[in-house]
Coordinates of all heavy atoms in Angstrom, one line a residue:
M1 N -8.1 8.7 -38.1 CA -8.5 7.8 -37.0 C -9.6 8.3 -36.2 O -9.6 9.5 -35.8 CB -7.3 7.5 -36.1 CG -7.5 6.6 -35.0 SD -5.9 6.2 -34.4 CE -6.2 6.1 -32.6
N2 N -10.7 7.6 -36.0 CA -11.8 8.0 -35.2 C -11.7 7.4 -33.8 O -11.8 6.1 -33.7 CB -13.1 7.5 -35.9 CG -14.3 8.1 -35.3 OD1 -14.2 9.0 -34.5 ND2 -15.5 7.8 -35.8
R3 N -11.6 8.2 -32.8 CA -11.4 7.7 -31.4 C -12.2 8.6 -30.4 O -12.5 9.7 -30.7 CB -9.9 7.7 -31.0 CG -9.4 9.1 -30.9 CD -8.0 9.1 -30.4 NE -7.6 10.5 -30.2 CZ -6.5 10.9 -29.9 NH1 -5.4 10.1 -29.8 NH2 -6.2 12.2 -29.7
K4 N -12.5 8.0 -29.3 CA -13.2 8.7 -28.2 C -12.2 9.6 -27.6 O -11.0 9.4 -27.5 CB -13.7 7.7 -27.2 CG -15.0 6.9 -27.6 CD -15.4 6.0 -26.6 CE -16.7 6.5 -26.0 NZ -17.2 5.6 -24.9
N5 N -12.7 10.7 -26.9 CA -11.9 11.6 -26.1 C -11.8 11.0 -24.7 O -12.6 10.2 -24.3 CB -12.6 12.9 -26.0 CG -12.6 13.7 -27.3 OD1 -11.7 13.5 -28.1 ND2 -13.6 14.4 -27.5
I6 N -10.7 11.4 -24.1 CA -10.5 10.9 -22.7 C -11.6 11.5 -21.8 O -11.9 12.7 -21.9 CB -9.1 11.4 -22.2 CG1 -8.0 10.8 -23.0 CG2 -8.9 11.1 -20.7 CD1 -6.6 11.3 -22.6
P7 N -12.3 10.7 -21.0 CA -13.4 11.2 -20.2 C -13.0 12.3 -19.2 O -11.9 12.2 -18.6 CB -14.0 10.1 -19.5 CG -13.1 8.9 -19.9 CD -12.1 9.3 -20.8
K8 N -13.8 13.3 -19.1 CA -13.5 14.4 -18.1 C -14.4 14.0 -16.9 O -15.5 14.5 -16.8 CB -13.8 15.7 -18.6 CG -13.1 16.0 -19.9 CD -12.4 17.3 -19.8 CE -11.7 17.7 -21.1 NZ -10.5 17.2 -21.4
T9 N -13.8 13.2 -16.0 CA -14.6 12.7 -14.9 C -13.7 12.4 -13.7 O -12.5 12.3 -13.8 CB -15.4 11.4 -15.2 OG1 -16.1 11.0 -14.0 CG2 -14.4 10.3 -15.6
D10 N -14.3 12.4 -12.5 CA -13.5 12.1 -11.3 C -13.9 10.6 -10.9 O -13.3 10.1 -9.8 CB -13.9 13.0 -10.1 CG -13.3 14.4 -10.3 OD1 -12.3 14.5 -11.0 OD2 -13.9 15.3 -9.7
S11 N -14.7 10.0 -11.7 CA -15.1 8.6 -11.3 C -13.9 7.6 -11.6 O -13.5 7.4 -12.8 CB -16.3 8.2 -12.1 OG -16.5 6.8 -12.1
I12 N -13.4 7.0 -10.6 CA -12.3 6.0 -10.8 C -12.8 4.9 -11.6 O -12.1 4.4 -12.5 CB -11.8 5.5 -9.5 CG1 -11.1 6.7 -8.7 CG2 -10.8 4.4 -9.6 CD1 -10.6 6.4 -7.3
Q13 N -14.0 4.4 -11.4 CA -14.6 3.3 -12.2 C -14.8 3.6 -13.7 O -14.4 2.8 -14.5 CB -16.0 2.9 -11.6 CG -15.9 2.3 -10.3 CD -15.8 3.2 -9.1 OE1 -15.9 4.4 -9.3 NE2 -15.5 2.7 -7.9
E14 N -15.2 4.9 -14.0 CA -15.4 5.2 -15.3 C -14.0 5.3 -16.0 O -13.8 4.9 -17.2 CB -16.1 6.6 -15.5 CG -16.5 7.0 -16.9 CD -17.3 8.2 -16.9 OE1 -18.0 8.6 -15.9 OE2 -17.3 8.9 -18.0
L15 N -13.0 5.9 -15.4 CA -11.7 6.0 -15.9 C -11.0 4.7 -16.1 O -10.4 4.4 -17.1 CB -10.8 6.9 -15.0 CG -11.2 8.4 -15.1 CD1 -10.4 9.1 -14.0 CD2 -10.9 9.0 -16.4
A16 N -11.2 3.8 -15.1 CA -10.7 2.4 -15.2 C -11.3 1.7 -16.4 O -10.5 1.0 -17.2 CB -11.0 1.6 -13.9
H17 N -12.6 1.8 -16.6 CA -13.3 1.2 -17.8 C -12.7 1.8 -19.1 O -12.4 1.0 -20.0 CB -14.7 1.3 -17.7 CG -15.4 0.8 -18.9 ND1 -15.5 -0.5 -19.1 CD2 -16.0 1.4 -20.0 CE1 -16.1 -0.7 -20.3 NE2 -16.4 0.4 -20.9
F18 N -12.5 3.0 -19.1 CA -12.0 3.7 -20.3 C -10.6 3.2 -20.7 O -10.4 2.7 -21.8 CB -12.0 5.2 -20.2 CG -11.4 5.9 -21.4 CD1 -12.3 6.2 -22.5 CD2 -10.1 6.3 -21.5 CE1 -11.8 6.8 -23.6 CE2 -9.6 6.9 -22.6 CZ -10.4 7.2 -23.7
W19 N -9.7 3.2 -19.7 CA -8.3 2.7 -20.0 C -8.3 1.2 -20.1 O -7.3 0.7 -20.8 CB -7.4 3.2 -18.9 CG -7.2 4.7 -19.0 CD1 -7.6 5.6 -18.1 CD2 -6.7 5.4 -20.1 NE1 -7.3 6.9 -18.6 CE2 -6.8 6.8 -19.8 CE3 -6.2 5.1 -21.3 CZ2 -6.4 7.8 -20.7 CZ3 -5.8 6.0 -22.2 CH2 -5.8 7.4 -21.9
D20 N -9.2 0.5 -19.6 CA -9.2 -1.0 -19.9 C -9.6 -1.3 -21.4 O -9.2 -2.3 -21.9 CB -10.3 -1.7 -19.0 CG -9.8 -1.9 -17.6 OD1 -8.6 -1.7 -17.3 OD2 -10.6 -2.2 -16.7
T21 N -10.2 -0.3 -22.0 CA -10.7 -0.5 -23.4 C -10.0 0.3 -24.4 O -10.4 0.4 -25.6 CB -12.2 -0.3 -23.5 OG1 -12.5 1.0 -23.0 CG2 -13.0 -1.3 -22.6
H22 N -9.0 1.1 -24.0 CA -8.2 2.0 -24.9 C -6.7 1.9 -24.6 O -6.3 1.5 -23.6 CB -8.7 3.5 -24.7 CG -10.1 3.7 -25.1 ND1 -11.2 3.4 -24.3 CD2 -10.6 4.2 -26.2 CE1 -12.3 3.7 -24.9 NE2 -12.0 4.2 -26.1
D23 N -6.0 2.3 -25.6 CA -4.5 2.2 -25.5 C -4.0 3.6 -25.2 O -4.2 4.5 -26.0 CB -4.0 1.7 -26.8 CG -2.5 1.4 -26.8 OD1 -1.7 2.0 -25.9 OD2 -2.0 0.6 -27.6
L24 N -3.2 3.7 -24.2 CA -2.6 5.0 -23.7 C -1.8 5.6 -24.8 O -1.8 6.8 -25.0 CB -1.8 4.8 -22.5 CG -1.1 6.0 -21.9 CD1 -2.1 7.0 -21.4 CD2 -0.1 5.6 -20.8
T25 N -1.1 4.8 -25.6 CA -0.3 5.4 -26.7 C -1.0 6.1 -27.7 O -0.5 7.0 -28.5 CB 0.6 4.3 -27.3 OG1 -0.2 3.3 -27.8 CG2 1.6 3.8 -26.3
D26 N -2.4 5.9 -27.8 CA -3.2 6.6 -28.8 C -3.5 8.0 -28.3 O -4.0 8.8 -29.1 CB -4.5 5.8 -29.0 CG -4.3 4.5 -29.8 OD1 -3.3 4.4 -30.5 OD2 -5.2 3.6 -29.6
F27 N -3.2 8.3 -27.1 CA -3.6 9.6 -26.5 C -2.4 10.4 -26.0 O -2.5 11.4 -25.2 CB -4.5 9.4 -25.3 CG -5.8 8.7 -25.7 CD1 -6.0 7.4 -25.8 CD2 -6.9 9.5 -26.1 CE1 -7.1 6.8 -26.2 CE2 -8.1 9.0 -26.5 CZ -8.2 7.5 -26.6
E28 N -1.2 10.0 -26.5 CA 0.1 10.7 -26.0 C 0.0 12.2 -26.2 O 0.5 13.0 -25.3 CB 1.3 10.1 -26.6 CG 1.6 8.7 -26.1 CD 2.8 8.1 -26.8 OE1 3.0 8.3 -28.0 OE2 3.6 7.5 -26.0
D29 N -0.6 12.7 -27.2 CA -0.6 14.1 -27.6 C -1.6 14.8 -26.6 O -1.5 16.1 -26.5 CB -1.0 14.3 -29.0 CG -2.4 13.7 -29.3 OD1 -2.7 12.6 -28.8 OD2 -3.1 14.3 -30.1
E30 N -2.4 14.1 -25.9 CA -3.4 14.8 -25.0 C -2.9 14.7 -23.5 O -3.6 15.3 -22.6 CB -4.7 14.1 -25.1 CG -5.5 14.3 -26.4 CD -6.8 13.7 -26.4 OE1 -7.6 13.9 -25.4 OE2 -7.2 13.0 -27.4
L31 N -1.9 14.0 -23.2 CA -1.5 13.8 -21.8 C -0.6 14.9 -21.4 O 0.1 15.6 -22.1 CB -0.7 12.5 -21.7 CG -1.4 11.2 -22.1 CD1 -0.5 10.0 -22.0 CD2 -2.7 11.0 -21.3
E32 N -0.7 15.2 -20.0 CA 0.1 16.2 -19.4 C 0.6 15.8 -18.1 O -0.1 15.0 -17.4 CB -0.6 17.6 -19.3 CG -1.9 17.5 -18.4 CD -2.6 18.8 -18.4 OE1 -3.3 19.1 -19.4 OE2 -2.6 19.5 -17.3
E33 N 1.7 16.1 -17.7 CA 2.3 15.7 -16.4 C 1.6 16.5 -15.3 O 1.4 17.8 -15.4 CB 3.8 16.0 -16.3 CG 4.4 15.5 -15.1 CD 5.9 15.6 -15.1 OE1 6.5 15.8 -16.2 OE2 6.5 15.5 -14.0
V34 N 1.2 15.8 -14.2 CA 0.6 16.4 -13.1 C 1.4 16.2 -11.9 O 1.8 15.1 -11.6 CB -0.8 15.8 -12.8 CG1 -1.5 16.4 -11.6 CG2 -1.7 16.1 -14.1
N35 N 1.8 17.2 -11.1 CA 2.7 17.1 -10.0 C 2.1 17.0 -8.6 O 2.7 16.7 -7.7 CB 3.7 18.3 -10.0 CG 4.6 18.3 -11.2 OD1 5.1 17.2 -11.6 ND2 4.8 19.4 -11.8
E36 N 0.8 17.3 -8.6 CA 0.1 17.2 -7.3 C -0.8 16.0 -7.3 O -1.2 15.5 -8.3 CB -0.7 18.4 -7.0 CG -1.8 18.8 -7.9 CD -1.4 19.5 -9.2 OE1 -0.3 20.0 -9.2 OE2 -2.3 19.6 -10.1
P37 N -1.2 15.5 -6.1 CA -2.1 14.3 -6.1 C -3.4 14.6 -6.7 O -4.0 15.7 -6.6 CB -2.3 14.1 -4.6 CG -1.3 14.9 -3.8 CD -0.9 16.0 -4.8
I38 N -3.9 13.6 -7.4 CA -5.2 13.7 -8.1 C -6.3 13.2 -7.2 O -7.4 13.8 -7.0 CB -5.2 12.9 -9.4 CG1 -4.2 13.5 -10.4 CG2 -6.6 13.0 -10.1 CD1 -4.3 15.0 -10.7
F39 N -6.1 12.0 -6.6 CA -7.0 11.3 -5.8 C -6.4 11.3 -4.4 O -5.5 10.6 -4.1 CB -7.3 9.9 -6.2 CG -7.9 9.8 -7.6 CD1 -7.2 9.4 -8.7 CD2 -9.2 10.3 -7.9 CE1 -7.7 9.3 -9.9 CE2 -9.7 10.2 -9.2 CZ -8.9 9.7 -10.2
E40 N -7.0 12.1 -3.5 CA -6.5 12.1 -2.1 C -7.3 11.2 -1.2 O -8.6 11.2 -1.2 CB -6.6 13.6 -1.6 CG -5.7 14.5 -2.3 CD -5.7 15.9 -1.8 OE1 -5.9 16.0 -0.5 OE2 -5.4 16.8 -2.5
L41 N -6.6 10.4 -0.5 CA -7.2 9.5 0.5 C -7.5 10.3 1.8 O -6.8 11.2 2.1 CB -6.3 8.3 0.8 CG -6.0 7.4 -0.4 CD1 -5.0 6.3 0.1 CD2 -7.3 6.7 -0.9
G42 N -8.5 9.8 2.5 CA -8.8 10.4 3.8 C -7.6 10.1 4.8 O -6.7 9.2 4.5
T43 N -7.7 10.7 5.9 CA -6.7 10.4 7.0 C -6.9 8.9 7.4 O -8.1 8.4 7.5 CB -6.9 11.3 8.2 OG1 -6.8 12.7 7.7 CG2 -5.9 11.0 9.3
Q44 N -5.8 8.2 7.7 CA -5.9 6.9 8.1 C -5.7 6.8 9.6 O -5.0 7.6 10.2 CB -4.9 6.0 7.4 CG -5.2 5.9 5.9 CD -4.2 5.0 5.2 OE1 -3.3 4.5 5.7 NE2 -4.4 4.9 3.9
L45 N -6.3 5.8 10.3 CA -6.2 5.6 11.7 C -5.8 4.1 11.9 O -6.5 3.2 11.3 CB -7.5 5.9 12.3 CG -7.7 5.6 13.8 CD1 -6.8 6.6 14.6 CD2 -9.1 5.8 14.2
L46 N -4.8 3.8 12.7 CA -4.4 2.5 13.0 C -5.3 2.0 14.2 O -5.3 2.6 15.3 CB -2.9 2.5 13.4 CG -2.3 1.1 13.8 CD1 -2.4 0.2 12.7 CD2 -0.9 1.3 14.2
V47 N -5.9 0.9 14.1 CA -6.8 0.3 15.1 C -6.1 -1.1 15.5 O -6.2 -2.0 14.6 CB -8.2 0.1 14.6 CG1 -9.1 -0.5 15.7 CG2 -8.8 1.4 14.2
P48 N -5.6 -1.2 16.6 CA -5.0 -2.5 17.0 C -6.1 -3.5 17.3 O -7.1 -3.2 18.0 CB -4.2 -2.2 18.3 CG -4.8 -0.9 18.8 CD -5.4 -0.2 17.7
L49 N -6.0 -4.7 16.8 CA -6.9 -5.8 17.0 C -6.1 -7.0 17.4 O -5.0 -7.2 16.9 CB -7.7 -6.1 15.7 CG -8.6 -5.0 15.1 CD1 -9.1 -5.5 13.8 CD2 -9.7 -4.7 16.1
D50 N -6.7 -7.9 18.2 CA -6.0 -9.1 18.5 C -6.3 -10.1 17.4 O -7.2 -9.9 16.6 CB -6.4 -9.7 19.9 CG -7.8 -10.1 20.0 OD1 -8.3 -10.8 19.1 OD2 -8.4 -9.9 21.1
P51 N -5.5 -11.2 17.3 CA -5.7 -12.1 16.1 C -7.1 -12.6 16.0 O -7.6 -12.8 14.9 CB -4.7 -13.2 16.4 CG -3.6 -12.6 17.3 CD -4.3 -11.5 18.1
R52 N -7.8 -12.9 17.1 CA -9.2 -13.4 17.0 C -10.1 -12.4 16.4 O -11.0 -12.7 15.6 CB -9.7 -13.9 18.3 CG -9.0 -15.2 18.8 CD -9.5 -15.6 20.1 NE -9.6 -14.5 21.0 CZ -10.3 -14.4 22.1 NH1 -11.1 -15.4 22.5 NH2 -10.2 -13.3 22.9
E53 N -9.9 -11.1 16.8 CA -10.8 -10.1 16.3 C -10.6 -9.8 14.9 O -11.5 -9.7 14.1 CB -10.5 -8.7 17.1 CG -10.9 -8.8 18.6 CD -10.3 -7.6 19.4 OE1 -9.3 -7.0 19.0 OE2 -10.9 -7.3 20.4
L54 N -9.3 -9.9 14.5 CA -9.0 -9.7 13.0 C -9.5 -10.8 12.2 O -10.1 -10.6 11.1 CB -7.4 -9.6 12.9 CG -7.0 -9.4 11.4 CD1 -7.6 -8.1 10.8 CD2 -5.4 -9.3 11.4
E55 N -9.4 -12.0 12.7 CA -10.0 -13.2 12.0 C -11.5 -13.1 11.8 O -12.0 -13.3 10.7 CB -9.6 -14.5 12.7 CG -10.1 -15.8 12.0 CD -9.7 -17.0 12.8 OE1 -8.7 -17.0 13.6 OE2 -10.4 -18.0 12.6
A56 N -12.1 -12.7 12.9 CA -13.6 -12.5 12.8 C -14.0 -11.4 11.8 O -15.0 -11.5 11.1 CB -14.2 -12.2 14.2
L57 N -13.2 -10.3 11.9 CA -13.5 -9.2 11.0 C -13.4 -9.6 9.6 O -14.2 -9.3 8.7 CB -12.6 -8.0 11.4 CG -12.6 -6.8 10.4 CD1 -14.1 -6.1 10.5 CD2 -11.6 -5.8 10.8
N58 N -12.2 -10.3 9.3 CA -12.0 -10.7 7.9 C -13.1 -11.6 7.4 O -13.5 -11.5 6.3 CB -10.6 -11.4 7.8 CG -9.5 -10.4 7.9 OD1 -9.6 -9.3 7.5 ND2 -8.3 -10.9 8.4
A59 N -13.5 -12.6 8.2 CA -14.6 -13.5 7.8 C -15.9 -12.8 7.6 O -16.6 -13.1 6.6 CB -14.8 -14.6 8.9
L60 N -16.2 -11.9 8.4 CA -17.5 -11.1 8.3 C -17.4 -10.2 7.0 O -18.4 -10.2 6.2 CB -17.8 -10.3 9.5 CG -19.1 -9.6 9.5 CD1 -20.3 -10.5 9.3 CD2 -19.3 -8.8 10.8
A61 N -16.3 -9.5 6.8 CA -16.2 -8.8 5.6 C -16.3 -9.6 4.3 O -17.0 -9.2 3.4 CB -14.8 -8.0 5.7
K62 N -15.7 -10.8 4.3 CA -15.7 -11.6 3.2 C -17.1 -12.1 2.9 O -17.6 -12.1 1.8 CB -14.8 -12.8 3.4 CG -14.7 -13.8 2.2 CD -13.7 -14.9 2.4 CE -13.6 -15.7 1.2 NZ -12.6 -16.8 1.3
S63 N -17.9 -12.4 4.0 CA -19.2 -12.9 3.8 C -20.1 -11.8 3.3 O -21.1 -12.1 2.7 CB -19.8 -13.4 5.2 OG -20.1 -12.3 6.0
R64 N -19.7 -10.5 3.5 CA -20.5 -9.4 3.0 C -19.9 -8.8 1.6 O -20.3 -7.8 1.2 CB -20.6 -8.3 4.0 CG -21.3 -8.7 5.2 CD -21.4 -7.6 6.2 NE -22.2 -8.0 7.4 CZ -22.6 -7.2 8.3 NH1 -22.5 -5.9 8.2 NH2 -23.2 -7.6 9.3
D65 N -19.0 -9.6 1.1 CA -18.3 -9.2 -0.1 C -17.8 -7.8 -0.1 O -18.0 -7.0 -1.0 CB -19.2 -9.4 -1.3 CG -18.5 -9.4 -2.7 OD1 -17.3 -9.8 -2.7 OD2 -19.1 -9.0 -3.6
T66 N -17.0 -7.4 1.0 CA -16.4 -6.2 1.1 C -15.0 -6.3 1.7 O -14.7 -7.4 2.2 CB -17.3 -5.2 1.9 OG1 -16.7 -3.9 1.8 CG2 -17.5 -5.5 3.3
S67 N -14.3 -5.3 1.9 CA -13.0 -5.3 2.6 C -13.2 -5.1 4.1 O -14.2 -4.4 4.5 CB -12.0 -4.3 2.0 OG -12.4 -3.0 2.4
P68 N -12.3 -5.5 5.0 CA -12.4 -5.2 6.4 C -12.4 -3.7 6.6 O -13.2 -3.2 7.4 CB -11.1 -5.9 6.9 CG -10.9 -7.0 6.0 CD -11.2 -6.5 4.7
A69 N -11.6 -2.9 5.9 CA -11.5 -1.5 6.1 C -12.9 -0.9 5.8 O -13.3 0.1 6.5 CB -10.4 -0.9 5.3
N70 N -13.5 -1.3 4.6 CA -14.9 -0.7 4.2 C -15.9 -1.1 5.3 O -16.8 -0.3 5.6 CB -15.3 -1.2 2.9 CG -14.5 -0.5 1.8 OD1 -14.0 0.6 1.9 ND2 -14.5 -1.1 0.6
L71 N -15.8 -2.3 5.8 CA -16.8 -2.7 6.8 C -16.7 -1.8 8.1 O -17.7 -1.3 8.6 CB -16.6 -4.2 7.2 CG -17.7 -4.8 8.1 CD1 -19.1 -4.6 7.6 CD2 -17.3 -6.3 8.3
I72 N -15.4 -1.6 8.6 CA -15.2 -0.8 9.7 C -15.7 0.6 9.5 O -16.3 1.2 10.3 CB -13.7 -0.8 10.1 CG1 -13.4 -2.2 10.7 CG2 -13.4 0.3 11.2 CD1 -11.9 -2.4 10.9
R73 N -15.4 1.1 8.3 CA -15.8 2.5 8.0 C -17.3 2.6 8.0 O -17.9 3.6 8.5 CB -15.3 2.9 6.7 CG -15.5 4.4 6.3 CD -14.7 4.8 5.1 NE -14.8 6.2 4.9 CZ -15.9 6.8 4.3 NH1 -16.8 6.1 3.8 NH2 -15.9 8.2 4.2
E74 N -18.0 1.6 7.4 CA -19.5 1.6 7.4 C -20.0 1.6 8.8 O -21.0 2.3 9.1 CB -20.0 0.3 6.6 CG -21.4 0.1 6.5 CD -21.8 -1.2 5.9 OE1 -21.2 -1.5 4.9 OE2 -22.7 -1.9 6.4
W75 N -19.5 0.8 9.7 CA -19.9 0.7 11.1 C -19.7 2.1 11.8 O -20.5 2.5 12.5 CB -19.1 -0.4 11.9 CG -19.5 -1.8 11.5 CD1 -20.7 -2.2 10.9 CD2 -18.8 -2.9 11.8 NE1 -20.7 -3.6 10.7 CE2 -19.5 -4.0 11.3 CE3 -17.5 -3.2 12.3 CZ2 -19.0 -5.4 11.3 CZ3 -17.0 -4.5 12.4 CH2 -17.8 -5.5 12.0
L76 N -18.5 2.6 11.6 CA -18.2 3.9 12.2 C -19.2 5.0 11.7 O -19.7 5.8 12.6 CB -16.8 4.3 11.8 CG -16.3 5.6 12.4 CD1 -16.3 5.6 13.9 CD2 -14.9 5.9 11.9
I77 N -19.4 5.1 10.4 CA -20.4 6.1 10.0 C -21.8 5.9 10.6 O -22.4 6.8 11.0 CB -20.4 6.1 8.4 CG1 -19.1 6.6 7.9 CG2 -21.6 6.9 7.9 CD1 -18.9 6.4 6.4
E78 N -22.2 4.6 10.7 CA -23.5 4.3 11.2 C -23.6 4.8 12.7 O -24.5 5.4 13.1 CB -23.8 2.8 11.2 CG -24.2 2.4 9.8 CD -24.3 0.8 9.7 OE1 -24.1 0.1 10.8 OE2 -24.5 0.3 8.6
R79 N -22.5 4.6 13.5 CA -22.5 5.0 14.9 C -22.4 6.5 15.0 O -23.1 7.0 15.9 CB -21.3 4.3 15.6 CG -21.4 2.8 15.8 CD -22.6 2.4 16.7 NE -22.5 3.0 18.0 CZ -22.2 2.3 19.0 NH1 -21.9 1.0 19.0 NH2 -22.2 2.9 20.2
L80 N -21.6 7.1 14.2 CA -21.5 8.5 14.3 C -22.9 9.2 13.9 O -23.3 10.2 14.6 CB -20.4 9.0 13.3 CG -19.0 8.8 13.7 CD1 -18.1 9.1 12.6 CD2 -18.6 9.5 15.0
E81 N -23.5 8.7 12.9 CA -24.8 9.2 12.5 C -25.9 9.0 13.7 O -26.7 9.9 13.9 CB -25.3 8.6 11.2 CG -24.6 9.1 10.0 CD -24.9 8.4 8.7 OE1 -25.6 7.4 8.7 OE2 -24.5 8.9 7.7
A82 N -25.8 7.8 14.2 CA -26.7 7.5 15.3 C -26.5 8.3 16.5 O -27.4 8.8 17.2 CB -26.7 6.0 15.7
S83 N -25.3 8.6 16.8 CA -24.9 9.4 18.1 C -25.2 10.9 17.8 O -25.4 11.6 18.8 CB -23.5 9.2 18.4 OG -22.6 9.8 17.5
S84 N -25.4 11.3 16.6 CA -25.7 12.8 16.4 C -27.2 13.0 16.2 O -27.6 14.1 16.1 CB -25.0 13.3 15.1 OG -25.5 12.6 13.9
E85 N -28.0 11.9 16.2 CA -29.4 12.1 16.1 C -30.0 12.5 17.5 O -29.5 12.1 18.5 CB -30.1 10.8 15.7 CG -29.7 10.4 14.4 CD -30.2 9.0 13.9 OE1 -30.9 8.3 14.8 OE2 -30.0 8.5 12.8
P86 N -31.0 13.4 17.5 CA -31.6 13.8 18.8 C -32.2 12.7 19.5 O -32.8 11.8 18.9 CB -32.6 14.8 18.4 CG -32.6 15.0 16.9 CD -31.6 14.0 16.4
R87 N -32.0 12.6 20.8 CA -32.5 11.4 21.6 C -33.9 11.9 22.2 O -34.0 13.1 22.6 CB -31.6 11.1 22.7 CG -30.3 10.5 22.1 CD -29.3 10.2 23.2 NE -28.0 9.9 22.7 CZ -27.5 8.7 22.6 NH1 -28.1 7.7 23.0 NH2 -26.3 8.5 22.0
T88 N -34.8 11.0 22.1 CA -36.1 11.4 22.7 C -36.4 10.6 24.0 O -35.8 9.7 24.3 CB -37.3 11.1 21.7 OG1 -37.2 9.7 21.3 CG2 -37.2 12.0 20.5

């Protein structure tokens, strides 16, 4: 049987594409159990919003084809970068 090897990558997109096009049972001899997290998420922060703010955030995120969490993160990074730039 001629098959591709499991990709050695940290790219979730690349791995997802591989497993969407391959059968896990064809690779049972290559699999190993892993007991520690593979993909670690960053620390999460709860931000209280009133219903109107949440509705506006959801609508804006949808119009930009992203999630509310990604939009907030993008804004936060922009503000942090701007605040760390030297002021003239």
Side-chain angles (χ1 to χ4, degrees):
M1 176 167 145
N2 194 1
R3 66 176 189 190
K4 286 179 111 179
N5 293 326
I6 298 173
K8 304 235 186 277
T9 179
D10 288 336
S11 167
I12 294 173
Q13 290 81 10
E14 189 176 333
L15 290 169
H17 175 72
F18 179 84
W19 289 117
D20 283 345
T21 58
H22 292 81
D23 188 335
L24 180 65
T25 58
D26 291 336
F27 298 88
E28 288 179 319
D29 59 323
E30 294 183 47
L31 301 178
E32 61 183 75
E33 185 173 347
V34 178
N35 295 318
E36 64 274 350
I38 301 299
F39 301 107
E40 294 186 28
L41 298 176
T43 302
Q44 295 183 356
L45 175 67
L46 179 63
V47 178
L49 300 173
D50 68 39
R52 289 180 313 160
E53 294 167 338
L54 182 58
E55 184 179 333
L57 175 63
N58 285 333
L60 187 56
K62 185 175 182 179
S63 75
R64 295 183 181 193
D65 196 29
T66 190
S67 71
N70 284 340
L71 185 57
I72 290 172
R73 186 169 190 278
E74 179 183 317
W75 288 341
L76 178 61
I77 290 169
E78 287 173 3
R79 291 298 300 256
L80 290 171
E81 289 174 351
S83 68
S84 66
E85 293 174 0
R87 297 179 192 251
T88 57

